[in-house]
Amino acid sequence: MGFLRSVVATWFLLVVLWFLSSVVVADPVPPPCEFPAIYNFGDSNSDTGGISAAFVPISAPYGEAFFHKPAGRDSDGRVIIDFIAERLKLPYLSAYLNSIGTNYRHGANFATGGSTIRRQNETIFEYGISPFALDMQIVQFDQFKARTTDLYNQVKSTPDAEKLPRAEEFSKALYTFDIGQNDLSVGFRKMSFDQLRAAMPDIVNQLASAVQHLYEQGGRAFWIHNTGPIGCLPVNLFYVSNPAPGYLDEHGCVKAQNEMAIEFNSKLKERIVRLKAELPEAAITYVDVYSAKYGLISNAKNLGFADPLKVCCGYHVNFDHIWCGNKGKVNDSVVYGASCKDPSVFISWDGVHYSQAANQWVADHTQNGSLTDPPIPVAQACRRM
């Protein structure tokens, strides 16, 4: 019996060793990057107060769902860059152009509503195009970096230093981009599709040049959003009646506009691939916001949202349009462009911009890395893959 017990014990030990040797040990999840700051460049999709500081402030009911007052954002609450800041455990970004109550210790936001990648030869008072195109935002960043570094050296032993970035942290920051939608909207207004298509390489090259410049200034981690399904913005249907067959897709979006957005995104992704080779120390993440937004719009009902082409804020009946927060006359009666009762079930806040609920959904479905190239969450975006 003793011999038998010994054989069984030996056999059991061999089985255990074989099992342990066959187990694949998963690679440990690397720790978060611990970005000390975010520097954002973009348009109204990520503006946190820039255009409000430079021109007429955004008024109520904007901001009502979260800030309970206007907060410089084209939404009822937070925009995607706010959710990125939350994910990275950083404060919301102060706009570079805002001189009141700002804190730049953990970054700055250079985005302004109406911004484009390429400079446009028109004023904001014509079609809402910002004078702060991407190249000007980069100039502002350079000035911000130089002046805050100089100022910090003057006040580093005082409480004022707590509102300023540290020079050594610019190279450790996350640089985010959400811009390009207005280049398409200007193109739809001023160009044929063939002309816009021919302009796309120059547009994406200018964005690449901005990334290259920041890289030369020490930036290493870049998080770049592609452009969304512009043809699904309700504003594109405000003045359309009885569209021709094939003008709209199965979800009611302007088909040709979305096809141009897809083409733009394809060229942007190709340029980012080349950019990775040109900037060997950079970690560049391409973020497919288009797929997230179109996925939300195409599945709105199943996800608990209202008709994605319906607008929460503003008065839009037939061809009478009173924009969100404004007053106007309809049939000699004063009408106010008010908010709907429950913005949280709407995708479109004002016909052009997304609601906070939609922004959060898109953020949740992009920041986890499921729609990025490489497939990496934003908290790991400092890592080259």
Side-chain angles (χ1 to χ4, degrees):
M1 287 294 292
F3 173 76
L4 182 59
R5 282 198 299 269
S6 177
V7 170
V8 170
T10 301
W11 175 83
F12 180 76
L13 179 60
L14 290 173
V15 170
V16 170
L17 290 174
W18 171 83
F19 175 78
L20 291 175
S21 68
S22 66
V23 173
V24 177
V25 178
D27 292 332
V29 177
C33 296
E34 297 185 3
F35 293 111
I38 303 169
Y39 293 99
N40 182 66
F41 305 86
D43 53 30
S44 59
N45 289 309
S46 61
D47 186 358
T48 57
I51 211 69
S52 277
F55 294 98
V56 179
I58 295 172
S59 61
Y62 285 84
E64 64 177 15
F66 184 79
F67 301 100
H68 308 298
K69 61 182 180 180
R73 291 155 172 83
D74 280 305
S75 181
D76 59 314
R78 291 162 290 178
V79 292
I80 291 176
I81 190 64
D82 294 316
F83 293 109
I84 292 177
E86 288 181 4
R87 183 70 62 100
L88 300 181
K89 296 180 172 56
L90 293 173
Y92 300 136
L93 295 183
S94 291
Y96 168 77
L97 293 172
N98 194 358
S99 59
I100 307 299
T102 51
N103 188 321
Y104 300 115
R105 176 66 187 86
H106 296 287
N109 193 353
F110 299 89
T112 61
S115 286
T116 51
I117 295 173
R118 295 206 302 185
R119 289 189 192 181
Q120 305 298 322
N121 189 26
E122 59 186 62
T123 76
I124 193 170
F125 304 105
E126 294 175 278
Y127 294 99
I129 296 300
S130 170
F132 305 109
L134 182 57
D135 63 340
M136 291 309 303
Q137 294 182 25
I138 296 299
V139 169
Q140 291 170 344
F141 170 81
D142 288 345
Q143 182 175 196
F144 174 88
K145 184 181 178 186
R147 293 185 65 188
T148 55
T149 299
D150 181 61
L151 182 58
Y152 178 77
N153 289 332
Q154 296 177 41
V155 302
K156 59 185 175 183
S157 59
T158 73
D160 290 336
E162 290 308 308
K163 294 184 178 181
L164 297 171
R166 306 295 186 262
E168 66 273 12
E169 292 180 351
F170 282 98
S171 63
K172 302 173 184 176
L174 179 65
Y175 292 83
T176 55
F177 290 80
D178 192 331
I179 193 166
Q181 178 175 302
N182 291 320
D183 292 86
L184 294 183
S185 67
V186 170
F188 297 150
R189 177 160 46 85
K190 289 186 170 182
M191 303 177 187
S192 69
F193 280 179
D194 286 341
Q195 289 171 327
L196 179 55
R197 191 175 289 111
M200 285 181 184
D202 180 59
I203 298 172
V204 299
N205 277 334
Q206 289 198 32
L207 193 152
S209 293
V211 174
Q212 288 171 323
H213 181 86
L214 294 172
Y215 181 85
E216 291 165 1
Q217 293 294 311
R220 290 296 180 266
F222 301 92
W223 184 264
I224 303 174
H225 287 187
N226 67 10
T227 199
I230 188 171
C232 296
L233 300 180
V235 67
N236 291 315
L237 298 175
F238 281 177
Y239 304 99
V240 175
S241 60
N242 300 318
Y247 184 78
L248 304 178
D249 69 10
E250 65 271 31
H251 302 295
C253 304
V254 180
K255 188 175 180 181
Q257 291 188 358
N258 278 353
E259 288 172 349
M260 293 300 285
I262 290 169
E263 192 163 346
F264 174 85
N265 289 337
S266 176
K267 286 182 168 53
L268 175 62
K269 189 171 184 179
E270 290 171 4
R271 187 65 187 90
I272 288 175
V273 169
R274 298 201 306 274
L275 203 55
K276 291 177 180 180
E278 295 162 4
L279 310 178
E281 295 181 15
I284 306 175
T285 307
Y286 171 87
V287 186
D288 190 4
V289 169
Y290 183 101
S291 291
K293 288 182 174 179
Y294 196 73
L296 171 61
I297 289 164
S298 60
N299 292 286
K301 184 177 180 179
N302 293 333
L303 294 169
F305 285 91
D307 181 343
L309 297 178
K310 298 295 184 183
V311 177
C312 173
C313 187
Y315 178 89
H316 304 286
V317 179
N318 297 322
F319 290 100
D320 294 314
H321 300 288
I322 310 299
W323 290 92
C324 181
N326 292 325
K327 288 182 180 179
K329 280 193 173 183
V330 177
N331 298 327
D332 295 325
S333 297
V334 175
V335 174
Y336 175 63
S339 171
C340 60
K341 290 183 179 180
D342 187 4
S344 68
V345 300
F346 278 76
I347 291 174
S348 180
W349 163 243
D350 61 6
V352 178
H353 307 99
Y354 288 73
S355 68
Q356 173 178 258
N359 284 327
Q360 183 164 15
W361 194 94
V362 173
D364 289 344
H365 288 78
T366 52
Q367 293 175 24
N368 60 7
S370 61
L371 290 173
T372 65
D373 184 11
I376 190 169
V378 67
Q380 307 285 346
C382 65
R383 310 194 187 284
R384 292 186 296 279
M385 294 181 65

